[in-house]
Amino acid sequence: MQIKIVKDKLAGGEAAFDMIKAGMANNAKVLGLATGSTPITLYDKMTASDLDFSNMVSVNLDEYVGLPASNDQSYHYFMNEHLFSKKPFKATYVPNGEAENVEAEVERYEKVIADNPIDIQILGIGRNGHIGFNEPGSPLDGPTHKVALTQSTIDANARFFENESDVPRYAISMGIGSIMKSKEIILMAYGEDKADAIQATVEGPVTNHVPASVLQNHANVTLILDEAAASKLSK
């Protein structure tokens, strides 16, 4: 596990972009992508660059259950706004949150991952240590699945919705086992409110109480952190 300390999220986005650029030069073809505020500076660098993604495939981590792609809080919408409308990819995959049969969609999406092995996976981290929507207690070898979101995650997401009651209670998420199959993983975290999760991820035991701690078992992981997010690390 390598750790890169950066000045701020702008520098973090640039560092992650440089790693993606190097990976593409080394024949990476599939990017695993994340949503939320953390990767926005990376996507800004990608869209401002002259890199050509038209031969690349993207596979997103997750999507809310019940939100249409046209909803401005859906992850389909987020990805189109921040990346896909500006940089065309060969193919882009995001779980279908409107699927009538969620279990069938889960199986379909796990096959998408199997058919498009991820070269570089981008991750953020929740304050409770979740990656994707794999909340504490998720199996560390689990496949894509339907997730009941914890109250802390619902509370964290409530700021994006008009009413707390509008926040989705379920999501489809790539499983931890699916994430761990990625050849390379880049996790970005910024701000003091992520410091406890980062400390537990890096220095704590590997436990499903802190899902991101499983990254200790991956052969090629880089954490890109600002000083606040890294502030509780002992070294």
Side-chain angles (χ1 to χ4, degrees):
M1 188 179 276
Q2 292 188 307
I3 295 176
K4 291 185 178 183
I5 308 295
V6 295
K7 179 184 174 185
D8 54 24
K9 61 178 63 178
L10 280 174
E14 188 157 353
F17 171 77
D18 287 344
M19 293 179 70
I20 287 176
K21 185 176 180 180
M24 289 172 64
N26 203 28
N27 211 33
K29 296 294 184 190
V30 182
L31 301 180
L33 299 179
T35 52
S37 58
T38 299
I40 288 177
T41 57
L42 165 61
Y43 299 153
D44 288 346
K45 286 293 296 183
M46 290 169 70
T47 58
S49 76
D50 59 2
L51 270 190
D52 180 8
F53 295 93
S54 61
N55 286 317
M56 299 291 289
V57 172
S58 71
V59 183
N60 260 75
L61 281 168
D62 42 28
E63 177 61 287
Y64 289 121
V65 169
L67 286 192
S70 59
N71 186 296
D72 64 5
Q73 293 305 319
S74 78
Y75 292 158
H76 275 86
Y77 190 98
F78 176 99
M79 292 306 304
N80 193 57
E81 283 290 296
H82 289 285
L83 185 59
F84 299 152
S85 64
K86 301 166 185 172
K87 282 287 187 182
F89 278 63
K90 178 178 165 184
T92 60
Y93 297 99
V94 183
N96 178 10
E98 287 192 289
E100 288 186 20
N101 185 332
V102 174
E103 292 310 314
E105 174 61 12
V106 160
E107 288 184 21
R108 182 194 75 83
Y109 206 71
E110 186 66 13
K111 187 172 188 307
V112 165
I113 299 164
D115 291 344
N116 298 276
I118 294 168
D119 293 302
I120 304 173
Q121 174 67 60
I122 301 297
L123 295 176
I125 186 171
R127 287 186 294 240
N128 61 5
H130 76 235
I131 48 176
F133 270 129
N134 295 288
E135 301 281 15
S138 298
L140 296 182
D141 58 354
T144 301
H145 56 142
K146 179 183 177 183
V147 184
L149 304 183
T150 63
Q151 192 59 48
S152 67
T153 297
I154 291 167
D155 292 345
N157 291 341
R159 69 188 188 277
F160 301 119
F161 292 85
E162 196 168 323
N163 300 299
E164 195 265 358
S165 59
D166 295 333
V167 182
R169 266 48 184 175
Y170 295 91
I172 295 170
S173 179
M174 197 183 290
I176 297 174
S178 313
I179 292 169
M180 290 291 283
K181 291 176 183 174
S182 308
K183 293 174 190 152
E184 179 178 4
I185 295 174
I186 301 169
L187 185 149
M188 297 179 285
Y190 312 117
E192 193 175 352
D193 65 338
K194 300 293 177 74
D196 286 329
I198 290 298
Q199 192 275 333
T201 294
V202 177
E203 298 178 349
V206 175
T207 168
N208 66 359
H209 298 301
V210 182
S213 65
V214 74
L215 298 177
Q216 294 178 35
N217 294 337
H218 195 280
N220 190 1
V221 178
T222 301
L223 273 57
I224 297 175
L225 313 171
D226 66 3
E227 290 185 1
S231 61
K232 295 192 177 179
L233 294 176
S234 63
K235 55 182 184 294

